[in-house]
């Protein structure tokens, strides 16, 4: 759709390779159930802020590539 907000459903454990790459997302809510975020999962978006749950075990160093507003 055209929403710039994404809520990952609770119960999802992994956000896979390129899952939401180039989807023009600005905001994402990641649930406590997430254990891993793979390479380019959110690459090429317009994310401004991401909160990764403390219980997440693995985040690829390239999971958020090409998000110019994300610091």
């Amino acid at each position: 759709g055209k929403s710039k907000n994404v809520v990952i459903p609770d119960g999802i454990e992994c956000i896979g390779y390129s899952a939401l790459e180039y989807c023009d997302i600005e905001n994402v809510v990641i649930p406590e159930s997430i254990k891993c975020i793979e390479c380019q999962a959110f690459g090429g978006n317009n994310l401004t802020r991401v909160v990764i749950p403390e219980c997440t075990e693995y985040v690829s160093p390239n999971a958020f590539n090409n998000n110019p507003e994300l610091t």
Side-chain angles (χ1 to χ4, degrees):
K2 295 185 183 207
S3 176
K4 299 202 184 259
N5 301 306
V6 171
V7 177
I8 307 295
D10 191 35
I12 301 293
E13 293 185 354
C14 187
I15 302 170
Y17 176 81
S18 297
L20 294 165
E21 186 176 27
Y22 296 109
C23 290
D24 198 25
I25 299 167
E26 290 180 1
N27 301 296
V28 62
V29 176
I30 300 174
E32 295 286 327
S33 62
I34 292 294
K35 293 184 177 160
C36 68
I37 302 173
E38 297 291 341
C39 184
Q40 288 299 112
F42 294 99
N45 285 294
N46 293 308
L47 292 171
T48 56
R49 183 172 182 254
V50 176
V51 176
I52 299 170
E54 287 185 33
C55 57
T56 301
E57 298 169 7
Y58 174 76
V59 178
S60 169
N62 300 319
F64 298 94
N65 276 1
N66 299 318
N67 279 277
E69 300 298 318
L70 191 61
T71 55

